[in-house]
Amino acid sequence: MSEIQTIAQLEELYPHQPSKGAIGKECDHLTPAYQELIQASPFMVIATAREGALDCSPRGDGAGFVDVRDERTLVIPDRNGNNRLDTLRNIVRDPRVGLIFLIPGVGECIRVRGTAKVTADPDELATYAVKGRLPTSLLQVDVQRVFFQCSRAIMRSKLWDPESVVDRGDLPSSGRLLEEAKTITHEQAEAYDKTAYEQLAAHLY
């Protein structure tokens, strides 16, 4: 494999300049249209960094779960999870974040770059209660750049095509993944798979 090691080599491999639209569509704030799109999204991925490591983590809830506070501020409630805290630890060390929002049935993805901080003001947390449960913390994102990714990736993947839906039973289960990671035994994996969905559904908030 011939590794590309310099920017000059990369630009030789990709000689065509990006279109004016590809560059010009980038904004330094959330326009009304971008705000509307983010408020329609039930799912996002957040990328964070720390010295020597990177991480991407999914976040999801009802459409509009990411609060558009104003044209430069997003607030993301941190709901019940696995308590690894990879994202939160990274942000405390290094505030840089990248977000990508998906909307079911929509080809364009919304990309946001900025910085974030972790907050836990009780009055603020109460604003984001669901079913009587407060988030443990909030991520407040200072938006620096925002733009939309065209639909090519979604079109190629046929992500929203009903015929592309995979039967979960055709792929390795969560229990098997844990078993192969030497976390649990085969018998424990089988027992885990029998109740995993119900357990997760019962502790979403």
Side-chain angles (χ1 to χ4, degrees), residues 46 91-92 94-97 114-118 139-142:
I46 180 168
I91 288 171
V92 168
D94 183 337
R96 295 175 299 165
V97 296
T115 58
K117 59 184 178 183
V118 183
L139 288 179
Q140 182 173 313
V141 178
D142 176 28

Side-chain angles (χ1 to χ4, degrees), residues 161-177:
D161 186 341
E163 295 184 1
S164 296
V165 174
V166 177
D167 187 330
R168 185 65 185 88
D170 291 340
L171 294 173
S173 68
S174 297
R176 178 179 164 188
L177 296 174

Side-chain angles (χ1 to χ4, degrees), residues 148-166:
F148 72 90
Q149 187 80 29
C150 76
S151 300
R152 287 191 183 94
I154 301 297
M155 293 172 68
R156 292 187 188 114
S157 67
K158 299 182 179 179
L159 184 63
W160 307 131
D161 186 341
E163 295 184 1
S164 296
V165 174
V166 177

Side-chain angles (χ1 to χ4, degrees), residues 50-168:
R50 65 183 184 276
E51 185 176 358
L54 299 171
D55 185 68
C56 286
S57 180
R59 293 289 189 274
D61 210 332
F65 79 100
V66 174
D67 181 18
V68 182
R69 183 71 59 85
D70 56 50
E71 66 178 14
R72 295 186 184 276
T73 311
L74 298 172
V75 178
I76 308 166
D78 192 64
R79 304 293 181 191
N80 195 26
N82 57 21
N83 290 318
R84 284 179 56 104
L85 306 184
D86 295 317
T87 297
L88 303 184
R89 292 180 195 275
N90 289 353
I91 288 171
V92 168
R93 296 184 180 109
D94 183 337
R96 295 175 299 165
V97 296
L99 314 176
I100 187 163
F101 292 88
L102 298 179
I103 306 168
V106 175
E108 292 86 357
C109 304
I110 309 306
R111 295 173 57 175
V112 175
R113 294 200 303 268
T115 58
K117 59 184 178 183
V118 183
T119 68
D121 179 84
D123 292 335
E124 284 286 305
L125 294 175
T127 304
Y128 298 95
V130 173
K131 298 183 178 180
R133 297 292 301 275
L134 275 61
T136 305
S137 67
L138 303 173
L139 288 179
Q140 182 173 313
V141 178
D142 176 28
V143 175
Q144 296 173 349
R145 310 301 296 177
V146 57
F147 60 101
F148 72 90
Q149 187 80 29
C150 76
S151 300
R152 287 191 183 94
I154 301 297
M155 293 172 68
R156 292 187 188 114
S157 67
K158 299 182 179 179
L159 184 63
W160 307 131
D161 186 341
E163 295 184 1
S164 296
V165 174
V166 177
D167 187 330
R168 185 65 185 88

Side-chain angles (χ1 to χ4, degrees), residues 6 13 27 32 38 62 67 84 105 112 129 143 147 157-158 160 162 167 175 178-179 182 184 188 199:
T6 69
L13 186 65
C27 302
I38 289 173
D67 181 18
R84 284 179 56 104
V112 175
V143 175
F147 60 101
S157 67
K158 299 182 179 179
W160 307 131
D167 187 330
L178 290 169
E179 179 187 353
K182 309 301 183 184
I184 59 178
Q188 290 171 326
Q199 290 293 323

